[in-house]
Amino acid sequence: MADTLKVLGQLAPSATTDTTLYTVPSITSTTTSSLVICNRSAGALTYRVAVRPLGAAIANKHYIYYNKTLAANESFAAILGMTLDSADVVTVYASSGDLSFTLFGVETDQT
């Protein structure tokens, strides 16, 4: 079982669209360490973050942040420590195309 520290995903999603930031590869488990969200605009924006076990269709129960406001030209860093299994998906949503998301963590090969 080998551990790989890495940037799990980086994304500047289109506005108002649920977008996959990261999907756990097969035969792998992942522990996230942190999620950083950056507002690159001159105005406040909102975002959502959801975790979808086994890639399930998005549902209210999956959200860990929902319509959270991020001030202009600010960043938010969350220390998450989430444990994810194969095929789990981290999904993000932004009120504008001016938000960037970066997820950091460790992938563990289960072979």
Side-chain angles (χ1 to χ4, degrees):
M1 292 171 51
D3 289 344
T4 306
L5 297 164
K6 64 191 296 185
V7 175
L8 299 170
Q10 286 188 310
L11 183 62
S14 298
T16 66
T17 303
D18 287 324
T19 307
T20 297
L21 175 61
Y22 174 71
T23 302
V24 181
S26 63
I27 315 171
T28 303
S29 63
T30 298
T31 302
T32 65
S33 59
S34 57
L35 172 68
V36 179
I37 303 161
C38 175
N39 181 350
R40 304 180 325 274
S41 79
L45 300 174
T46 61
Y47 63 88
R48 302 173 189 172
V49 179
V51 177
R52 300 183 296 123
L54 296 172
I58 196 86
N60 289 337
K61 65 184 178 182
H62 297 138
Y63 288 100
I64 58 174
Y65 296 107
Y66 191 88
N67 286 351
K68 185 170 171 83
T69 301
L70 186 57
N73 301 310
E74 292 291 328
S75 293
F76 170 74
I79 306 305
L80 297 173
M82 295 186 300
T83 54
L84 305 171
D85 202 2
S86 293
D88 290 351
V89 177
V90 177
T91 299
V92 296
Y93 173 101
S95 63
S96 163
D98 292 322
L99 285 176
S100 299
F101 296 81
T102 303
L103 184 65
F104 301 91
V106 178
E107 288 182 341
T108 302
D109 181 355
Q110 298 297 314
T111 57

mmCIF file of all heavy atoms in Angstrom, residues 71-93:
data_model
loop_
_atom_site.group_PDB
_atom_site.id
_atom_site.type_symbol
_atom_site.label_atom_id
_atom_site.label_comp_id
_atom_site.label_asym_id
_atom_site.label_seq_id
_atom_site.Cartn_x
_atom_site.Cartn_y
_atom_site.Cartn_z
ATOM 1 N N ALA A 71 -15.938 36.709 0.486
ATOM 2 C CA ALA A 71 -15.758 38.125 0.172
ATOM 3 C C ALA A 71 -14.849 38.321 -1.035
ATOM 4 O O ALA A 71 -14.059 37.445 -1.402
ATOM 5 C CB ALA A 71 -15.183 38.850 1.390
ATOM 6 N N ALA A 72 -14.939 39.498 -1.621
ATOM 7 C CA ALA A 72 -14.127 39.858 -2.785
ATOM 8 C C ALA A 72 -12.642 39.680 -2.503
ATOM 9 O O ALA A 72 -12.159 40.029 -1.422
ATOM 10 C CB ALA A 72 -14.396 41.308 -3.168
ATOM 11 N N ASN A 73 -11.931 39.103 -3.460
ATOM 12 C CA ASN A 73 -10.473 38.948 -3.399
ATOM 13 C C ASN A 73 -9.985 38.246 -2.133
ATOM 14 O O ASN A 73 -8.893 38.529 -1.646
ATOM 15 C CB ASN A 73 -9.789 40.312 -3.545
ATOM 16 C CG ASN A 73 -10.151 40.978 -4.840
ATOM 17 O OD1 ASN A 73 -10.072 40.379 -5.908
ATOM 18 N ND2 ASN A 73 -10.595 42.215 -4.766
ATOM 19 N N GLU A 74 -10.772 37.331 -1.619
ATOM 20 C CA GLU A 74 -10.413 36.582 -0.409
ATOM 21 C C GLU A 74 -10.298 35.091 -0.723
ATOM 22 O O GLU A 74 -10.806 34.620 -1.747
ATOM 23 C CB GLU A 74 -11.464 36.773 0.691
ATOM 24 C CG GLU A 74 -11.515 38.166 1.268
ATOM 25 C CD GLU A 74 -10.293 38.526 2.092
ATOM 26 O OE1 GLU A 74 -9.703 37.619 2.722
ATOM 27 O OE2 GLU A 74 -9.918 39.709 2.102
ATOM 28 N N SER A 75 -9.664 34.364 0.182
ATOM 29 C CA SER A 75 -9.581 32.906 0.084
ATOM 30 C C SER A 75 -10.104 32.300 1.378
ATOM 31 O O SER A 75 -10.044 32.932 2.440
ATOM 32 C CB SER A 75 -8.146 32.450 -0.145
ATOM 33 O OG SER A 75 -7.695 32.853 -1.417
ATOM 34 N N PHE A 76 -10.595 31.085 1.271
ATOM 35 C CA PHE A 76 -11.066 30.325 2.424
ATOM 36 C C PHE A 76 -10.351 28.989 2.398
ATOM 37 O O PHE A 76 -10.327 28.306 1.365
ATOM 38 C CB PHE A 76 -12.583 30.108 2.322
ATOM 39 C CG PHE A 76 -13.127 29.143 3.339
ATOM 40 C CD1 PHE A 76 -13.254 29.501 4.669
ATOM 41 C CD2 PHE A 76 -13.518 27.864 2.956
ATOM 42 C CE1 PHE A 76 -13.755 28.607 5.601
ATOM 43 C CE2 PHE A 76 -14.027 26.964 3.877
ATOM 44 C CZ PHE A 76 -14.143 27.331 5.209
ATOM 45 N N ALA A 77 -9.733 28.615 3.520
ATOM 46 C CA ALA A 77 -9.041 27.330 3.620
ATOM 47 C C ALA A 77 -9.725 26.492 4.686
ATOM 48 O O ALA A 77 -9.845 26.924 5.834
ATOM 49 C CB ALA A 77 -7.571 27.531 3.959
ATOM 50 N N ALA A 78 -10.193 25.316 4.304
ATOM 51 C CA ALA A 78 -10.844 24.389 5.227
ATOM 52 C C ALA A 78 -9.926 23.202 5.452
ATOM 53 O O ALA A 78 -9.451 22.589 4.490
ATOM 54 C CB ALA A 78 -12.172 23.927 4.658
ATOM 55 N N ILE A 79 -9.683 22.879 6.716
ATOM 56 C CA ILE A 79 -8.945 21.667 7.065
ATOM 57 C C ILE A 79 -10.012 20.587 7.233
ATOM 58 O O ILE A 79 -10.800 20.626 8.180
ATOM 59 C CB ILE A 79 -8.134 21.855 8.357
ATOM 60 C CG1 ILE A 79 -7.232 23.088 8.258
ATOM 61 C CG2 ILE A 79 -7.339 20.593 8.670
ATOM 62 C CD1 ILE A 79 -6.296 23.111 7.077
ATOM 63 N N LEU A 80 -10.065 19.638 6.293
ATOM 64 C CA LEU A 80 -11.191 18.713 6.225
ATOM 65 C C LEU A 80 -10.922 17.342 6.825
ATOM 66 O O LEU A 80 -11.749 16.805 7.536
ATOM 67 C CB LEU A 80 -11.647 18.556 4.768
ATOM 68 C CG LEU A 80 -12.180 19.825 4.126
ATOM 69 C CD1 LEU A 80 -12.428 19.593 2.647
ATOM 70 C CD2 LEU A 80 -13.446 20.270 4.804
ATOM 71 N N GLY A 81 -9.834 16.716 6.455
ATOM 72 C CA GLY A 81 -9.567 15.367 6.944
ATOM 73 C C GLY A 81 -10.642 14.364 6.563
ATOM 74 O O GLY A 81 -10.930 13.449 7.315
ATOM 75 N N MET A 82 -11.251 14.534 5.395
ATOM 76 C CA MET A 82 -12.273 13.583 4.935
ATOM 77 C C MET A 82 -11.616 12.307 4.448
ATOM 78 O O MET A 82 -10.571 12.351 3.806
ATOM 79 C CB MET A 82 -13.074 14.162 3.751
ATOM 80 C CG MET A 82 -13.899 15.344 4.059
ATOM 81 S SD MET A 82 -14.937 15.851 2.659
ATOM 82 C CE MET A 82 -13.747 16.196 1.374
ATOM 83 N N THR A 83 -12.230 11.178 4.735
ATOM 84 C CA THR A 83 -11.776 9.905 4.189
ATOM 85 C C THR A 83 -12.755 9.484 3.102
ATOM 86 O O THR A 83 -13.969 9.503 3.304
ATOM 87 C CB THR A 83 -11.694 8.827 5.279
ATOM 88 O OG1 THR A 83 -12.951 8.743 5.953
ATOM 89 C CG2 THR A 83 -10.603 9.163 6.279
ATOM 90 N N LEU A 84 -12.215 9.147 1.957
ATOM 91 C CA LEU A 84 -13.019 8.813 0.779
ATOM 92 C C LEU A 84 -12.602 7.457 0.242
ATOM 93 O O LEU A 84 -11.425 7.091 0.306
ATOM 94 C CB LEU A 84 -12.833 9.882 -0.299
ATOM 95 C CG LEU A 84 -13.113 11.326 0.116
ATOM 96 C CD1 LEU A 84 -12.669 12.282 -0.979
ATOM 97 C CD2 LEU A 84 -14.585 11.516 0.437
ATOM 98 N N ASP A 85 -13.557 6.744 -0.329
ATOM 99 C CA ASP A 85 -13.304 5.421 -0.894
ATOM 100 C C ASP A 85 -13.377 5.482 -2.415
ATOM 101 O O ASP A 85 -13.813 6.489 -2.992
ATOM 102 C CB ASP A 85 -14.335 4.434 -0.343
ATOM 103 C CG ASP A 85 -13.865 2.981 -0.417
ATOM 104 O OD1 ASP A 85 -12.719 2.742 -0.855
ATOM 105 O OD2 ASP A 85 -14.640 2.098 -0.042
ATOM 106 N N SER A 86 -13.005 4.411 -3.071
ATOM 107 C CA SER A 86 -13.043 4.334 -4.536
ATOM 108 C C SER A 86 -14.386 4.815 -5.063
ATOM 109 O O SER A 86 -15.434 4.450 -4.529
ATOM 110 C CB SER A 86 -12.819 2.900 -5.006
ATOM 111 O OG SER A 86 -11.515 2.484 -4.712
ATOM 112 N N ALA A 87 -14.334 5.647 -6.092
ATOM 113 C CA ALA A 87 -15.496 6.175 -6.814
ATOM 114 C C ALA A 87 -16.254 7.265 -6.070
ATOM 115 O O ALA A 87 -17.247 7.783 -6.586
ATOM 116 C CB ALA A 87 -16.439 5.062 -7.251
ATOM 117 N N ASP A 88 -15.822 7.658 -4.862
ATOM 118 C CA ASP A 88 -16.430 8.818 -4.205
ATOM 119 C C ASP A 88 -16.032 10.075 -4.975
ATOM 120 O O ASP A 88 -14.929 10.152 -5.535
ATOM 121 C CB ASP A 88 -15.987 8.939 -2.749
ATOM 122 C CG ASP A 88 -16.565 7.851 -1.856
ATOM 123 O OD1 ASP A 88 -17.455 7.092 -2.312
ATOM 124 O OD2 ASP A 88 -16.122 7.754 -0.704
ATOM 125 N N VAL A 89 -16.926 11.068 -4.997
ATOM 126 C CA VAL A 89 -16.725 12.260 -5.815
ATOM 127 C C VAL A 89 -16.894 13.522 -4.968
ATOM 128 O O VAL A 89 -17.859 13.636 -4.213
ATOM 129 C CB VAL A 89 -17.731 12.295 -6.984
ATOM 130 C CG1 VAL A 89 -17.589 13.559 -7.818
ATOM 131 C CG2 VAL A 89 -17.569 11.063 -7.867
ATOM 132 N N VAL A 90 -15.960 14.457 -5.120
ATOM 133 C CA VAL A 90 -16.095 15.787 -4.529
ATOM 134 C C VAL A 90 -16.575 16.711 -5.642
ATOM 135 O O VAL A 90 -15.933 16.835 -6.684
ATOM 136 C CB VAL A 90 -14.766 16.294 -3.935
ATOM 137 C CG1 VAL A 90 -14.923 17.708 -3.389
ATOM 138 C CG2 VAL A 90 -14.264 15.341 -2.851
ATOM 139 N N THR A 91 -17.722 17.342 -5.403
ATOM 140 C CA THR A 91 -18.357 18.208 -6.395
ATOM 141 C C THR A 91 -18.389 19.637 -5.874
ATOM 142 O O THR A 91 -18.659 19.859 -4.693
ATOM 143 C CB THR A 91 -19.799 17.728 -6.666
ATOM 144 O OG1 THR A 91 -19.749 16.404 -7.172
ATOM 145 C CG2 THR A 91 -20.499 18.612 -7.677
ATOM 146 N N VAL A 92 -18.126 20.603 -6.757
ATOM 147 C CA VAL A 92 -18.165 22.012 -6.380
ATOM 148 C C VAL A 92 -19.132 22.764 -7.291
ATOM 149 O O VAL A 92 -19.453 22.320 -8.392
ATOM 150 C CB VAL A 92 -16.761 22.655 -6.431
ATOM 151 C CG1 VAL A 92 -15.844 22.012 -5.405
ATOM 152 C CG2 VAL A 92 -16.146 22.562 -7.824
ATOM 153 N N TYR A 93 -19.551 23.920 -6.804
ATOM 154 C CA TYR A 93 -20.496 24.783 -7.514
ATOM 155 C C TYR A 93 -20.112 26.211 -7.153
ATOM 156 O O TYR A 93 -19.827 26.504 -5.993
ATOM 157 C CB TYR A 93 -21.907 24.468 -7.032
ATOM 158 C CG TYR A 93 -23.006 25.368 -7.528
ATOM 159 C CD1 TYR A 93 -23.833 24.969 -8.578
ATOM 160 C CD2 TYR A 93 -23.255 26.595 -6.929
ATOM 161 C CE1 TYR A 93 -24.876 25.777 -9.009
ATOM 162 C CE2 TYR A 93 -24.292 27.410 -7.360
ATOM 163 C CZ TYR A 93 -25.090 26.991 -8.398
ATOM 164 O OH TYR A 93 -26.127 27.797 -8.828
#
